[in-house]
Amino acid sequence: GAVVSQHPSWVICKSGTSVKIECRSLDFQATTMFWYRQFPKQSLMLMATSNEGSKATYEQGVEKDKFLINHASLTLSTLTVTSAHPEDSSFYICSAREGLRREGRDTQYFGPGTRLTVL
Amino acid sequence: LAKTTQPISMDSYEGQEVNITCSHNNIATNDYITWYQQFPSQGPRFIIQGYKTKVTNEVASLFIPADRKSSTLSLPRVSLSDTAVYYCLVGPDTGRRALTFGSGTRLQVQP
């Protein structure tokens, strides 16, 4: 089946530093990738939509200069949290869309998530 | 995307059948109903998707009445490992759009 990986699985950083999170589709080409954020005991919230070779589309309230998204290839998207602060501590999850129909449906496959803790 | 309403939490015991109902009164004609499962500190995992009537796979069954304003996810003979949050999503059958997650149902299975 389609597999999406994320790296790192967890990261701890100091306030003010930047952190890069990678999202890779391992066995398929992802035309679109999505980035979500999830705070404890809450649901997933969409941050941005990333299409290969074009600028990401950010959801209302998400600062594009703070959360830099790059989708340079069909198998890799990166999210960089710039000048991280403690309130950015969260669980970041990516998903990837293959664009093909498997088992009769066009779906998204989620990565395992990255736990970011900003001290 | 159609708004969904689910119970916040449910408790069950091992071996029991669990039914989680989701309300989606304003579902559109081209909307599908999809359920995801999420364990703590993991990404969501697809469980099942349906449009109408009943769908069954190796993990669960999905019951959808004729008016499609609700749906029920049925988990047969749950085990401790089924403890997770279950999300009901309603939208067009395309991965092109981002998925909108509601609050989900937190299922706790006890021995």
Side-chain angles (χ1 to χ4, degrees):
Chain A
V3 178
V4 175
S5 70
Q6 283 185 237
H7 178 80
S9 57
W10 60 271
V11 56
I12 301 173
C13 69
K14 293 182 179 180
S15 183
T17 61
S18 294
V19 174
K20 179 183 287 188
I21 302 171
E22 294 185 347
C23 176
R24 292 181 184 274
S25 55
L26 298 185
D27 52 359
F28 67 97
Q29 294 185 327
T31 55
T32 306
M33 288 184 171
F34 305 93
W35 286 95
Y36 297 82
R37 180 167 54 180
Q38 186 175 34
F39 293 107
K41 303 293 186 181
Q42 294 187 23
S43 186
L44 285 77
M45 295 296 294
L46 177 68
M47 297 177 67
T49 300
S50 171
N51 292 297
E52 187 266 338
S54 63
K55 291 184 178 181
T57 302
Y58 291 81
E59 294 299 297
Q60 189 172 10
V62 178
E63 301 175 57
K64 62 180 181 180
D65 294 330
K66 181 172 182 62
F67 298 98
L68 302 179
I69 292 173
N70 184 281
H71 194 161
S73 76
L74 285 172
T75 60
L76 173 64
S77 176
T78 60
L79 167 67
T80 300
V81 183
T82 62
S83 186
H85 291 286
E87 57 265 30
D88 298 323
S89 298
S90 187
F91 192 54
Y92 293 86
I93 306 170
C94 73
S95 70
R97 171 181 177 254
E98 183 177 15
L100 298 177
R101 300 186 73 84
R102 289 182 185 244
E103 299 177 339
R105 58 185 176 82
D106 175 7
T107 193
Q108 296 176 29
Y109 302 95
F110 285 84
T114 297
R115 174 77 57 192
L116 170 63
T117 302
V118 184
L119 302 177
Chain B
L1 298 175
K3 179 179 171 59
T4 60
T5 303
Q6 308 173 228
I8 294 176
S9 64
M10 294 183 69
D11 292 311
S12 183
Y13 292 94
E14 283 190 293
Q16 289 188 334
E17 177 185 75
V18 172
N19 296 308
I20 306 175
T21 298
C22 178
S23 297
H24 28 81
N25 291 318
N26 59 340
I27 188 171
T29 302
N30 61 339
D31 284 343
Y32 282 74
I33 300 156
T34 310
W35 286 79
Y36 280 82
Q37 174 192 56
Q38 186 183 26
F39 297 113
S41 297
Q42 293 187 28
R45 182 176 75 101
F46 171 88
I47 300 177
I48 197 166
Q49 182 183 68
Y51 184 81
K52 62 180 179 180
T53 63
K54 176 184 175 181
V55 179
T56 297
N57 61 23
E58 64 278 6
V59 177
S61 294
L62 179 60
F63 298 91
I64 306 169
D67 65 6
R68 303 199 329 123
K69 294 184 182 298
S70 67
S71 59
T72 299
L73 174 71
S74 181
L75 304 173
R77 296 181 299 282
V78 295
S79 64
L80 296 176
S81 61
D82 292 317
T83 294
V85 178
Y86 293 83
Y87 294 97
C88 164
L89 286 78
V90 174
D93 178 29
T94 172
R96 183 175 300 114
R97 301 186 186 186
L99 300 177
T100 300
F101 287 81
S103 57
T105 297
R106 190 172 300 274
L107 173 65
Q108 180 69 50
V109 180
Q110 300 181 15

